[in-house]
Amino acid sequence: MTHILAIDQGTTSSRAIVFDAGLRPVASAQHEFAQHYPSSGWVEHDPSDLWVSVAGVARAAVEKAGIHTRDIAAIGITNQRETTLLWDRQTGRPLHRAIVWQDRRTADLCARLSAEGHEPMIAARTGLLLDPYFSGSKLKWLLDHVEGARARARRGELAFGTVDSWLIWNLTGGKVHATDATNAARTLLYNIAENRWDAEICALFDIPMQLLPEVRDCAADYGTTRADLFGREIPILGVAGDQQAATVGQACFAPGMMKSTYGTGCFALLNTGADMVASTNRLLTTIAYRLGGRTTYALEGSIFIAGAVVQWLRDGLGLIGRASETQALAEAADPGQDLVLVPAFTGLGAPYWRPDCRGAIFGLTRASGPAELARAALESVGFQTRDLWEAMRADWPAAARGVLRVDGGMAASGWTMQFLADILGAPVDRPAVTETTALGAGYLAGLQAGLCPPPEDFARAWSLERRFEPAMPDADREARYARWKAAVAATMGVV
């Protein structure tokens, strides 16, 4: 067995990549699925779309690779985090559409619990803030609004899971109800210091603990697939939430290393080692990975809108036909115009955490056009990353200004990555393999299967494709960042 199958279930599409024993990508397949917006600020997925698309791309990737399933040593899974599902243990049928991480329907509940003084306790135990982003309030909403759900949950008839648990359940034919420590850490229900579900927090949300999956290491035995799916049973040996998987794929194993992934949103993680650093700048404390029962922590900053701002230019405004067109537009933009776009389409994430905010554009003139708007959209990703960068350095001074490793779809844009280096005033490294999320999942599975080397050897094999060095004068950098901060303040109504 010389290959690893990595499943990468994302917010807008499902992907599968076959890696060889050297973790080189051999073949891949991808399938987009529908997004559902039943109300303002609500985002849902059909659970069957998640499962069917994953099964389809997994088979397609293996076929494209020209290998037999007997060549696959293990499967690794990585997934969109916080997205919340509830299903029947007997039939496997979902009780409701999946509530996606972007969904804001529980904002009032979170605000009420915060006003009642619960946030300090929750933050101390989970590392998270009381925000609709996380799974706990979403699960409470399902139990409150699906008729009979809470009573059935108390009888042990239902199962809760993030997307990884849903996929594991379906892959194993309902034999395994489990999650890994990184996904559990994003639910608002998991005590990351003690590595266990927190009974007091579950009681606060009125969530029966019978619903919850077993929590395992990132590299561990998650059962085997049904034989009918791939013609034979294949062990599932690695699981991690998408941003933690990218951290592993970027080989950020040493404290102080930082990566930022640019997909639908943007997520930056700073490895803090064994230190569970409590943020004073409204960042999240989370689990970076857990291997061999040993937990490594991280500070995380979450930006809700990154690649999604390019999708908005394409699908919402019709300014472009393909995402790749934004770079040429940005290059052609009038340098004399200073448009600032604050893409708070579903609120502002870290370090602001304002779910009530909505997007705004500043500096419009009669001469502003598609090129200037495209440039402002791409620049908004760099500005938001700078916000996280500054907050992380303030929270953990040991993280001196160093190198940022980047990955994800937007990392392919040289213009965007150069602006990122310019606005940070620091080098930005793009790896040879930019699909680091799937790579991380594949590595975890390969590590457990005995096919891949230990982390320190994997880190030495990490390969740089290009380094972007800052070229913007300091005065320009700070003036532009000051305009961004002013625009954000105005958007939040803080004048």
Side-chain angles (χ1 to χ4, degrees):
M1 298 182 184
T2 55
H3 291 74
I4 300 290
L5 174 62
I7 292 170
D8 181 358
Q9 201 300 299
T11 307
T12 58
S13 68
S14 296
R15 181 181 328 197
I17 300 179
V18 175
F19 292 94
D20 64 18
L23 291 177
R24 292 176 291 267
V26 175
S28 66
Q30 185 171 354
H31 181 77
E32 293 190 2
F33 51 84
Q35 310 290 302
H36 301 276
Y37 308 99
S39 185
S40 177
W42 293 27
V43 189
E44 296 178 349
H45 290 157
D46 186 329
S48 65
D49 285 346
L50 304 181
W51 164 237
V52 171
S53 63
V54 161
V57 295
R59 294 191 190 101
V62 172
E63 184 177 343
K64 283 185 181 180
I67 61 174
H68 195 276
T69 52
R70 63 173 171 265
D71 299 320
I72 298 174
I75 291 174
I77 297 173
T78 184
N79 56 282
Q80 53 167 311
R81 305 171 303 171
E82 297 96 17
T83 294
T84 302
L85 298 101
L86 187 66
W87 65 92
D88 186 301
R89 288 184 182 272
Q90 290 298 316
T91 66
R93 292 176 183 166
L95 274 69
H96 192 276
R97 281 179 180 162
I99 302 180
V100 180
W101 59 272
Q102 298 162 310
D103 191 282
R104 315 303 289 171
R105 74 185 67 185
T106 60
D108 289 344
L109 166 65
C110 292
R112 176 174 62 80
L113 291 173
S114 181
E116 291 172 358
H118 296 294
E119 187 169 72
M121 179 272 289
I122 289 174
R125 298 183 188 185
T126 70
L128 310 178
L129 303 174
L130 264 171
D131 189 86
Y133 176 26
F134 307 108
S135 311
S137 63
K138 292 173 166 57
L139 177 54
K140 176 175 169 54
W141 188 95
L142 288 171
L143 295 173
D144 287 344
H145 290 82
V146 176
E147 186 176 355
R150 184 168 277 104
R152 294 189 64 198
R154 290 191 177 115
R155 294 196 297 268
E157 298 174 8
L158 305 181
F160 150 75
T162 43
V163 172
D164 58 310
S165 295
W166 172 242
L167 296 180
I168 292 165
W169 179 276
N170 283 280
L171 285 166
T172 63
K175 292 181 180 178
V176 178
H177 182 212
T179 188
D180 85 295
T182 69
N183 277 295
R186 310 299 297 189
T187 62
L188 209 66
L189 306 173
Y190 192 71
N191 189 314
I192 63 172
E194 299 179 5
N195 274 288
R196 60 172 177 82
W197 297 113
D198 194 288
E200 185 177 351
I201 297 176
C202 287
L204 178 66
F205 284 99
D206 196 12
I207 292 172
M209 296 185 73
Q210 301 95 307
L211 280 171
L212 306 177
E214 179 187 345
V215 181
R216 302 179 183 177
D217 283 357
C218 299
D221 183 355
Y222 287 86
T224 58
T225 63
R226 293 164 17 204
D228 62 301
L229 286 174
F230 304 108
R232 62 173 280 261
E233 294 182 348
I234 302 175
I236 305 166
L237 298 182
V239 179
D242 51 10
Q243 304 313 315
Q244 283 87 349
T247 301
V248 171
Q250 287 277 36
C252 290
F253 295 122
M257 295 186 73
M258 180 178 172
K259 74 88 199 173
S260 192
T261 298
Y262 298 94
T264 302
C266 165
F267 303 87
L269 265 75
L270 171 69
N271 185 325
T272 61
D275 294 338
M276 189 176 143
V277 177
S279 175
T280 58
N281 292 280
R282 298 185 67 76
L283 297 177
L284 307 177
T285 305
T286 195
I287 294 176
Y289 48 86
R290 196 174 82 190
L291 297 174
R294 181 179 177 182
T295 302
T296 296
Y297 294 99
L299 280 171
E300 176 174 336
S302 306
I303 297 168
F304 298 148
I305 302 295
V309 75
V310 176
Q311 292 175 325
W312 172 68
L313 294 177
R314 183 191 66 190
D315 304 332
L317 299 185
L319 294 184
I320 56 173
R322 296 186 308 276
S324 58
E325 296 172 19
T326 54
Q327 177 159 322
L329 280 173
E331 291 170 345
D334 178 2
Q337 294 198 48
D338 295 318
L339 262 66
V340 177
L341 168 62
V342 181
F345 303 151
T346 57
L348 284 170
Y352 306 105
W353 294 107
R354 286 287 300 271
D356 57 313
C357 284
R358 291 299 178 262
I361 303 172
F362 297 87
L364 283 169
T365 71
R366 283 289 299 272
S368 301
E372 289 72 33
L373 195 55
R375 183 183 65 189
L378 296 182
E379 288 179 346
S380 73
V381 176
F383 287 130
Q384 291 178 96
T385 305
R386 169 81 181 262
D387 287 340
L388 302 182
W389 182 264
E390 297 292 342
M392 286 178 173
R393 293 177 61 226
D395 275 339
W396 204 53
R401 189 181 294 270
V403 176
L404 176 67
R405 290 186 174 182
V406 296
D407 56 81
M410 291 192 81
S413 168
W415 190 95
T416 306
M417 294 301 101
Q418 182 58 54
F419 179 77
L420 179 59
D422 285 341
I423 204 64
L424 293 180
V428 169
D429 282 359
R430 185 168 65 191
V433 178
T434 56
E435 295 296 345
T436 54
T437 304
L439 177 63
Y443 170 73
L444 291 169
L447 178 67
Q448 183 68 13
L451 199 63
C452 294
E456 56 271 19
D457 292 338
F458 177 66
R460 281 192 286 271
W462 184 89
S463 178
L464 175 69
E465 183 266 334
R466 180 178 173 186
R467 168 167 286 189
F468 297 87
E469 296 281 1
M472 185 180 291
D474 290 347
D476 291 351
R477 175 184 306 115
E478 298 312 314
R480 302 201 65 181
Y481 187 56
R483 284 196 293 273
W484 163 259
K485 297 291 285 186
V488 171
T491 302
M492 294 192 299
V494 181
V495 181

